[in-house]
């Protein structure tokens, strides 16, 4: 359950979303554009969630590490323009910023990651202290936060311990990535102890061997008070208070689906922090996730709160999106 741990210094008294994990620079390649096209985007799952929450008007703080390099500078500049609190983003001159290539082809896309030995993998429990959660209403962690290194996993676990001690809601996106060789037992334990769990149908099959909502609910036990299960263009469901609420996704002209799940998660958590009931928060979140698919890349493609509100009010979602100033990196 979302707790109100409001910091009077935070934006309009709204509790802060705190995300722990990595940021990555995206290099975009597309088959439908000239061969010399090379796009630039902003990624990293928990960082994306924080950006989308900020788009929706929620104060968001990020804990990660970046290299003292151009990719790190580009990420930090973007996050500042996106109004993230980056005071807990450390610059490590002895390690590079991670990056990935997003190759969009007809019928889908592929990712190639270059994060081994990155600054974010050096995140550790020593980076976590009680001030991290000042004014926090939610601590957000993902399966990738746990998988990129043992020390990063310990940082996430330490942050979760402090959150529980402080009455801060712990949220967990499973984000199962086979190439990272995730510890399924560790992910399952973290999910069972979280207050809100967000996972895709693919995540559920990988971690729980089922994508049926009732079986997911049984497998995760009584810990999570809300479970959000996403299913791409079919939309999503939220399981809460013994009920299942389904939300269909609006149809959009898809350019790139990268980061859509993170957009959904960020909008959902922003809604819950604002006091919106889970079914209504999910409706807004599904729209945000769908709208993010109209533009290349991850965080740069995320819609504004105003765009989401217009579509929810009945406007066409296929109006050409206009990048905000923080998307013009």
């Amino acid at each position: 359950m979302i707790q109100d741990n409001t910091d009077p210094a935070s934006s309009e008294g709204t509790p802060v979303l705190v995300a722990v994990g990595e940021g990555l620079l995206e290099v975009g390649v597309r088959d439908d554009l000239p061969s010399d096209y090379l796009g630039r985007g902003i990624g990293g799952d928990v960082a994306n969630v924080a950006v989308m929450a900020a788009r929706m008007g929620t104060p968001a703080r990020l804990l990660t590490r970046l290299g003292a390099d151009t990719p790190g500078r580009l990420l930090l500049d973007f996050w500042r323009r996106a109004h993230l609190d980056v005071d807990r983003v450390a610059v490590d001159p002895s390690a590079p910023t991670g990056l990935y290539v997003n190759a969009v082809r007809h019928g889908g896309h592929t990712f190639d990651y270059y994060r081994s030995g990155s600054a974010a993998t050096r995140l550790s429990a020593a980076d976590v202290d009680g001030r991290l959660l000042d004014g926090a209403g939610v601590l957000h962690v993902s399966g990738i936060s746990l998988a990129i290194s043992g020390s990063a996993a310990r940082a996430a676990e330490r942050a979760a311990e402090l959150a529980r001690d402080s009455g801060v809601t712990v949220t967990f996106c499973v984000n199962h990535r086979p190439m990272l060789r995730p510890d399924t037992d560790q992910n399952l334990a973290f999910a069972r102890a979280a207050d809100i769990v967000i996972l895709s149908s693919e995540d559920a099959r990988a971690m729980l061997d089922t994508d049926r909502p009732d079986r997911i609910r049984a497998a995760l036990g009584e810990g999570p008070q809300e479970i959000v299960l996403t299913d791409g263009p079919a939309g999503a469901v939220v399981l809460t208070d013994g009920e299942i609420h389904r939300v269909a996704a609006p149809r959009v002209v898809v350019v790139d689906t990268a980061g859509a799940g993170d957009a959904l998660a960020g909008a959902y958590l922003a809604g819950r922090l604002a006091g919106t009931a889970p079914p209504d928060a999910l409706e807004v979140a599904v729209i945000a996730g769908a709208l993010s698919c109209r533009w290349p890349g991850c965080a740069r493609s995320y819609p504004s709160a105003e765009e989401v509100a217009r579509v929810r009010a009945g406007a066409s979602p296929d109006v050409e999106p206009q990048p905000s100033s923080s998307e013009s990196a």
Side-chain angles (χ1 to χ4, degrees), residues 23 35 71 81 102 153 177 207 282-283 304:
S35 59
R81 293 197 306 274
N102 176 15
R177 299 293 184 266
M207 187 173 74
L282 186 63
E283 181 182 347
S304 67

Side-chain angles (χ1 to χ4, degrees), residues 197-215:
V197 177
I198 303 173
L199 71 171
S200 68
S201 296
E202 292 85 353
D203 293 332
R205 289 191 291 269
M207 187 173 74
L208 304 172
D209 200 29
T210 182
D211 58 7
R212 285 181 46 176
D214 57 336
R215 292 183 178 177

Side-chain angles (χ1 to χ4, degrees), residues 16-247:
V16 178
L17 180 148
V18 178
V20 176
E22 70 173 350
L24 297 166
L25 185 70
E26 175 184 305
V27 177
V29 178
R30 301 185 62 87
D31 276 356
D32 58 348
L33 293 175
S35 59
D36 59 354
Y37 167 84
L38 202 62
R40 186 176 78 209
I42 306 296
D45 61 339
V46 299
N48 291 341
V49 169
V51 169
M52 188 66 238
R55 289 269 200 272
M56 300 301 293
T58 296
R61 180 179 305 135
L62 180 61
L63 173 66
T64 190
R65 286 177 169 264
L66 297 173
D69 48 25
T70 297
R73 178 181 58 79
L74 292 172
L75 288 174
L76 198 56
D77 287 350
F78 177 86
W79 291 335
R80 284 175 173 146
R81 293 197 306 274
H83 306 296
L84 298 193
D85 175 351
V86 294
D87 286 350
R88 301 303 294 260
V89 176
V91 176
D92 185 344
S94 63
T97 302
L99 60 84
Y100 65 101
V101 177
N102 176 15
V104 179
R105 311 188 190 287
H106 296 295
H109 57 132
T110 59
F111 294 118
D112 296 299
Y113 288 90
Y114 303 89
R115 57 154 67 95
S116 179
S118 72
T121 66
R122 297 188 176 190
L123 197 63
S124 74
D127 295 307
V128 179
D129 58 46
R131 291 191 59 79
L132 173 67
L133 300 175
D134 282 355
V138 157
L139 170 73
H140 183 66
V141 175
S142 79
I144 294 175
S145 307
L146 300 178
I148 56 174
S149 71
S151 66
R154 288 188 288 275
E157 290 164 347
R158 176 58 180 157
E161 290 172 3
L162 291 176
R164 294 186 185 98
D165 290 344
S166 303
V168 173
T169 296
V170 178
T171 67
F172 182 60
C173 275
V174 173
N175 285 357
H176 179 87
R177 299 293 184 266
M179 67 184 68
L180 287 174
R181 299 180 180 177
D183 183 331
T184 301
D185 290 339
Q186 181 186 42
N187 283 355
L188 182 56
F190 206 101
R192 285 173 170 164
D195 300 296
I196 299 176
V197 177
I198 303 173
L199 71 171
S200 68
S201 296
E202 292 85 353
D203 293 332
R205 289 191 291 269
M207 187 173 74
L208 304 172
D209 200 29
T210 182
D211 58 7
R212 285 181 46 176
D214 57 336
R215 292 183 178 177
I216 292 170
R217 169 78 276 176
L220 292 183
E222 298 302 318
Q225 301 303 298
E226 299 166 31
I227 300 171
V228 175
L229 176 66
T230 68
D231 194 16
V237 302
V238 58
L239 294 77
T240 185
D241 293 331
E243 297 182 350
I244 299 176
H245 304 273
R246 299 181 181 273
V247 176

